[in-house]
Amino acid sequence: NAGVTQTPKFQVLKTGQSMTLQCAQDMNHNSMYWYRQDPGMGLRLIYYSASEGTTDKGEVPNGYNVSRLNKREFSLRLESAAPSQTSVYFCASMGRDRYTDTQYFGPGTRLTVL
Amino acid sequence: DAKTTQPPSMDCAEGRAANLPCNHSTISGNEYVYWYRQIHSQGPQYIIHGLKNNETNEMASLIITEDRKSSTLILPHATLRDTAVYYCIVNRAGSARQLTFGSGTQLTVLP
C-alpha cells in the first residue's frame, strides 16, 4: 500500500515546453486534487476531481489542464510552461476515515521553469 | 469554511510535550478540526481530526474546547523529527472539499 505516488520527483523545463505530472493512489479514493506550493506560502488548489470522469477548477487553474484517467490516476499537464509555474506540486486523494473525509498527500514534484 | 488562527512559531524541548493551540471561533456545527504537518517541503502529513470530542491516535492527541472555538494539538513526547510546520484546518465533512492551508505554526524541537 504505497498511498499517493507522484512522478517525477524533480523536473527542469524551459519556458514554452510542456510536460505532464503523474499522480496515482492505491486507496480506492474517489476524490483527487492537485495543489501548488510556492516558497514560504501555503498550498493553493489548482484542480480537483470529485470522482472518476469529473474535474473542476480550483483557486489557480490558469495554465494547467488535468485528466482523471481512471479512479487511480489524476494527471496535471502544463501545455506551455512559464517561470511563474516554478513551484512544488502536490497531489492528494481523499477518502473516508473514521466517519469523515481525510486528504492524504503525495511527496511532491519540484518543478523549475527557466 | 471557518478561519483559523495559530501562533507563527513555537519551541519545545526534546522529550517534552508540545502543545500547539488553534483558534477557530467561527466554526460551524458540521465542521471538523483537522491537523496536518509539513516537514521541510515534504507532502503534508495528516495527523488527527475531531468534531467535538477529544481524540487520540498513535501520533497525537486533540483537545477541543466545549464551545469548539479553540483546540490544542498535543505531541506527548516531542522528538527532533517533529520539527515541522503544523496546520490547523477547519473543514466541512463531505466529498471534494478543498483544504485551505493557512500559515501554520513552525514548531522547532530543541535538543
Side-chain angles (χ1 to χ4, degrees):
Chain A
N1 188 340
V4 180
T5 57
Q6 294 183 236
T7 56
K9 287 187 170 57
F10 300 93
Q11 183 70 50
V12 178
L13 293 177
K14 295 181 180 178
T15 297
Q17 288 184 316
S18 62
M19 79 161 295
T20 299
L21 282 65
Q22 307 287 351
C23 174
Q25 52 94 8
D26 61 3
M27 296 176 282
N28 201 36
H29 289 167
N30 286 321
S31 301
M32 297 184 73
Y33 305 77
W34 277 105
Y35 293 85
R36 62 177 285 175
Q37 185 174 33
D38 299 328
M41 306 283 286
L43 279 74
R44 293 185 291 169
L45 183 67
I46 305 171
Y47 271 93
Y48 68 95
S49 170
S51 61
E52 185 179 351
T54 69
T55 60
D56 285 287
K57 295 178 181 179
E59 183 185 351
V60 288
N62 291 344
Y64 305 95
N65 287 302
V66 290
S67 296
R68 185 71 183 270
L69 305 170
N70 47 55
K71 192 171 187 179
R72 288 187 65 249
E73 298 171 292
F74 188 36
S75 62
L76 178 72
R77 182 160 178 84
L78 287 71
E79 291 291 351
S80 179
S84 61
Q85 294 178 305
T86 293
S87 190
V88 182
Y89 291 84
F90 292 104
C91 177
S93 70
M94 182 165 72
R96 209 74 179 168
D97 174 20
R98 290 181 57 244
Y99 57 78
T100 191
D101 298 311
T102 303
Q103 288 194 23
Y104 299 91
F105 288 79
T109 293
R110 282 144 188 82
L111 175 67
T112 300
V113 182
L114 303 174
Chain B
D1 294 334
K3 184 177 177 180
T4 62
T5 304
Q6 298 177 252
S9 64
M10 293 181 63
D11 292 340
C12 176
E14 189 177 18
R16 303 296 293 270
N19 298 288
L20 291 90
C22 179
N23 286 322
H24 31 79
S25 58
T26 60
I27 191 170
S28 299
N30 62 350
E31 289 182 316
Y32 288 77
V33 180
Y34 290 81
W35 283 84
Y36 283 78
R37 72 181 182 184
Q38 191 170 25
I39 299 173
H40 191 54
S41 297
Q42 296 178 21
Q45 178 187 22
Y46 164 77
I47 301 173
I48 198 167
H49 71 271
L51 183 63
K52 54 183 179 181
N53 296 322
N54 298 338
E55 303 286 346
T56 296
N57 62 21
E58 64 279 2
M59 287 184 68
S61 295
L62 174 60
I63 309 298
I64 303 174
T65 58
E66 194 169 340
D67 63 7
R68 302 207 325 121
K69 293 186 177 181
S70 65
S71 60
T72 301
L73 177 75
I74 301 172
L75 307 178
H77 304 288
T79 70
L80 298 178
R81 287 182 293 182
D82 292 321
T83 292
V85 179
Y86 287 77
Y87 296 97
C88 169
I89 299 167
V90 171
N91 206 45
R92 264 179 289 159
S95 63
R97 290 297 302 178
Q98 168 189 350
L99 292 180
T100 301
F101 286 78
S103 52
T105 296
Q106 170 66 58
L107 174 68
T108 302
V109 180
L110 303 172

